[in-house]
Amino acid sequence: MNVILTCAGRRNYIVKYFQEALNGKGMVFACDVSPEAAALQEADKSFVLPPVDSDDYLDKLLYICKNNDIRLLISLHDLELPILAKQRERFAEVGTILAISSPEVINICFDKWATFKFLRNHNIPTAKTYLLLSEAQQAIAAGEIEYPLVVKPRWGTASIGIHYPGDDEELELAYRYVNKLLTKTFLSNVSASEPDKCVIIQEKLFGQEYGLDIVNDLQGSYQSTFVKHKLKMRAGETDRATTLFSTQLEELGQNLSQELSHIANLDCDVMMNASGYAVLEMNPRFGGGYPFSHYAGVNLPAALIAWSKKEDIKQEWLQLEHNITSSKCDRLVGVDFK
């Protein structure tokens, strides 16, 4: 039972979680575009691959899976998900199960405009969102939204290009700047599909922010929701959090699961205030908030391995201990990739 983590980057904790879940009955492989990636140093075996948009990326990844008896593939990067989601049958032919949602689900989550429309169509509260600068300006004039606002890439990741304009001048400057910035980042290719509509403008919501791990099995059936109160953010992801019980947010998780039928984990950000909750974003992968669930007793890697082997899971793998506060920290690993 071998597992591979793609675009592994610095997610050494995911490598460790799968190694512990396998308990010597398989290996954890990792691949990344950089040989210095931290996760590659602690995986059982590692590979350097070309960028995900390279013509030979899929062929090389398929070769690795076939020749190393990879049973389960976990992708850890937003830009890779749309590519792999369309290749489920090719990987199945070499015996590899993709723990990745359908192309339709990936698109709903990755395209923030599609996210907004999906949530509105299903009567799930979310921030008011505009695709054109003129539409946002009209909404401001009509009193529908007010400053500060949020300007960010329509197809974004890792908090790249997010700005919070506080007046008309800042809004126009931020909108132009993010449009220009996107041409100089790795988001340029996906943004080029609609160059005049690659930036969105949203109302800025205030309140307490929560993170949800919404877990489905490999057939897209709902299993559980784990709720965390975000205490501090760092570089766009949760840095400190406390686990808790919330009937309201767990019901939201189940609702989203049943509407999306995603595969494995859906990392969901939610803002709560006196008016209720509003969904901010959805990411169909292991997110930066998952370690807080794992520290509080959840073991999604073990469940994914069992599901991939068509075995029953242990119920304790999907049980969260509440009121557990934990905090991330950095550490160094030596680079010895060969």
Side-chain angles (χ1 to χ4, degrees):
M1 175 68 208
N2 295 329
V3 176
I4 190 166
L5 308 177
T6 60
C7 298
R10 54 188 285 137
R11 296 173 183 83
N12 295 52
Y13 53 86
I14 300 292
V15 172
K16 177 184 176 182
Y17 296 162
F18 275 96
Q19 287 172 332
E20 291 175 346
L22 287 169
N23 193 28
K25 297 179 181 178
M27 294 191 295
V28 177
F29 296 74
C31 57
D32 196 86
V33 70
S34 171
E36 296 87 22
L40 269 58
Q41 316 311 316
E42 296 187 323
D44 296 311
K45 190 172 182 179
S46 300
F47 302 90
V48 173
L49 288 176
V52 297
D53 57 355
S54 299
D55 292 339
D56 57 347
Y57 180 80
L58 282 173
D59 288 339
K60 289 187 175 181
L61 183 55
L62 278 161
Y63 179 85
I64 291 170
C65 290
K66 179 179 180 180
N67 286 275
N68 292 278
D69 296 321
I70 301 297
R71 177 66 173 171
L72 184 64
L73 184 150
I74 309 292
S75 173
L76 299 173
H77 199 286
D78 293 323
L79 290 183
E80 187 187 36
L81 294 174
I83 297 171
L84 291 182
K86 299 175 182 177
Q87 306 297 327
R88 192 177 309 277
E89 292 184 3
R90 289 184 66 189
F91 280 88
E93 289 174 358
V94 301
T96 302
I97 297 171
L98 301 184
I100 296 173
S101 297
S102 68
E104 294 76 17
V105 171
I106 299 299
N107 180 65
I108 288 170
C109 297
F110 188 33
D111 179 349
K112 305 311 178 189
W113 179 244
T115 302
F116 169 72
K117 292 191 294 183
F118 169 83
L119 294 170
R120 279 296 177 92
N121 289 339
H122 291 85
N123 298 314
I124 298 172
T126 189
K128 295 175 182 177
T129 302
Y130 305 88
L131 195 55
L132 298 174
L133 177 59
S134 59
E135 293 176 342
Q137 291 170 328
Q138 290 171 10
I140 295 168
E144 296 174 7
I145 54 174
E146 59 184 28
Y147 293 107
L149 300 176
V150 183
V151 175
K152 63 183 181 182
R154 175 177 172 181
W155 295 276
T157 185
S159 295
I160 292 173
I162 296 182
H163 292 269
Y164 303 96
D167 57 37
D168 292 346
E169 183 180 11
E170 289 181 1
L171 173 60
E172 292 188 23
L173 287 171
Y175 187 78
R176 290 202 303 269
Y177 176 74
V178 177
N179 269 286
K180 188 171 184 177
L181 175 69
L182 289 175
T183 66
K184 301 178 180 180
T185 71
F186 58 81
L187 297 171
S188 59
N189 287 342
V190 64
S191 299
S193 61
E194 289 196 62
D196 297 327
K197 298 179 179 179
C198 62
V199 175
I200 61 171
I201 301 164
Q202 293 181 315
E203 63 173 330
K204 181 174 173 57
L205 301 178
F206 296 90
Q208 298 291 327
E209 188 170 352
Y210 295 83
L212 312 182
D213 287 314
I214 306 171
V215 176
N216 284 2
D217 62 20
L218 294 177
Q219 282 69 51
S221 297
Y222 178 70
Q223 301 296 312
S224 192
T225 297
F226 310 119
V227 181
K228 290 142 303 182
H229 177 202
K230 298 185 179 187
L231 303 177
K232 188 175 181 60
M233 301 293 291
R234 183 171 182 260
E237 68 174 40
T238 309
D239 190 59
R240 302 170 193 171
T242 300
T243 59
L244 57 90
F245 172 76
S246 169
T247 300
Q248 185 180 28
L249 292 181
E250 289 182 14
E251 289 178 351
L252 169 63
Q254 184 169 4
N255 184 20
L256 286 170
S257 162
Q258 293 169 344
E259 297 294 350
L260 279 172
S261 296
H262 64 277
I263 299 297
N265 195 30
L266 181 73
D267 176 76
C268 182
D269 296 331
V270 180
M271 188 70 75
M272 288 194 72
N273 54 36
S275 300
Y277 65 76
V279 174
L280 301 177
E281 288 199 1
M282 302 184 296
N283 300 294
R285 54 171 171 77
F286 277 95
Y290 174 74
F292 301 96
S293 296
H294 198 93
Y295 186 81
V298 174
N299 197 337
L300 182 53
L304 290 170
I305 290 168
W307 287 326
S308 71
K309 297 166 68 176
K310 300 187 184 304
E311 296 177 352
D312 293 333
I313 68 168
K314 296 181 179 180
Q315 289 305 309
E316 59 262 32
W317 292 343
L318 298 182
Q319 291 181 354
L320 182 75
E321 186 176 352
H322 301 138
N323 299 315
I324 300 296
T325 299
S326 50
S327 178
K328 290 180 179 176
C329 63
D330 290 331
R331 65 185 178 89
L332 295 178
V333 295
V335 174
D336 187 26
F337 184 87
K338 298 177 182 177

